[in-house]
Amino acid sequence: RADLSRYFASGKLAAARWAVDEGRREKAAKLLEAEGNSTPVRYLRALILLRSLDFQKAASEFQSLAELYPPMRDRCLIQAAWAHEGLKNFEAAAKLYEKVSRTSRQFPDARLGLCRARRFLKDLTAAKAALAEFIDKPPPPWGRDLGADALLALADVHAAKRDDKAESEALLKLWSAHPFSPLAAKAEQRLGGP
């Protein structure tokens, strides 16, 4: 969230962003009432729509903002894709995930989202391909473990294929190669561990 701080650093925008993050959408909307329609204000309003599960309006607004708000383009594309997933429009979600720049901090989430969307579309080969560059990623010394995320998503793809052996192999690799990831416990549970 630090990458958003410069856009919402002070005043009512900062208070509204905090309220959205705390799940106080009504308070955030009230804080934004008299703030006009600048792109940061529109972004926060779209975020309120997304978190209120108004997926249709959120998808439309985030897609519009992705074109109008270059500093937040990739984040808006991801959030528009999430809204489309909420609408069960996985084809539109996949197209948006594919637009996220490889150099963006949102790229790993876009690839995981693309995998998920392709899995729901039953395009399991493309789902697996979306994860390719993260599957063999070793665990980091700190922070998010993208390799573990990718392996769990790969196990989900294999489960959708009804390939029990490959699903178990992905889960076992997650459990053994990423033991400190919180996802290792999920892998152990799916493998039938204690």
Side-chain angles (χ1 to χ4, degrees), residues 45-63:
R45 287 184 181 137
L47 200 54
I48 292 167
L49 291 169
L50 181 63
R51 302 231 176 124
S52 299
L53 308 181
D54 190 345
F55 297 127
Q56 188 68 48
K57 289 179 184 172
S60 176
E61 184 66 0
F62 278 123
Q63 282 181 255

Side-chain angles (χ1 to χ4, degrees), residues 116 119 145 148-153 155-156 159 167-168 170-176 178-194:
R116 193 172 49 248
R119 180 170 48 93
D145 190 342
D149 289 342
L151 286 167
L152 188 61
D156 292 341
E167 178 187 5
S168 293
L171 292 169
L172 188 58
K173 184 175 179 181
L174 165 56
W175 179 80
S176 62
H178 302 265
F180 299 112
S181 168
L183 299 179
K186 286 184 179 183
E188 183 177 18
Q189 189 175 37
R190 282 176 62 175
L191 286 166

Side-chain angles (χ1 to χ4, degrees), residues 23 44 47-49 69-70 102 112 123 143 160 162 164 181 188:
L44 287 176
L47 200 54
I48 292 167
L49 291 169
Y69 201 11
R102 292 187 73 74
L112 292 166
D123 186 354
R162 301 197 191 301
D164 294 339
S181 168
E188 183 177 18

Side-chain angles (χ1 to χ4, degrees), residues 66-176:
E67 302 306 318
L68 297 172
Y69 201 11
M72 298 285 283
R73 178 184 181 275
D74 291 325
R75 185 174 298 272
C76 290
L77 288 171
I78 288 274
Q79 289 167 322
W82 290 342
H84 280 291
E85 283 192 69
L87 293 167
K88 308 276 189 253
N89 185 350
F90 298 109
E91 189 65 44
K95 287 178 182 175
L96 291 167
Y97 286 131
E98 288 172 341
K99 290 182 179 182
V100 174
S101 168
R102 292 187 73 74
T103 59
S104 170
R105 290 179 63 181
Q106 275 68 48
F107 184 71
D109 287 318
R111 300 313 286 180
L112 292 166
L114 179 60
C115 171
R116 193 172 49 248
R118 292 293 180 208
R119 180 170 48 93
F120 281 114
L121 291 168
K122 307 290 188 224
D123 186 354
L124 302 178
T125 302
K128 185 176 176 181
L131 301 171
E133 66 190 89
F134 299 108
I135 290 173
D136 293 320
K137 201 167 182 66
W142 67 86
R144 183 174 180 192
D145 190 342
L146 292 172
D149 289 342
L151 286 167
L152 188 61
L154 179 63
D156 292 341
V157 170
H158 289 308
K161 287 172 131 176
R162 301 197 191 301
D163 186 343
D164 294 339
K165 182 179 180 208
E167 178 187 5
S168 293
E169 287 172 0
L171 292 169
L172 188 58
K173 184 175 179 181
L174 165 56
W175 179 80
S176 62

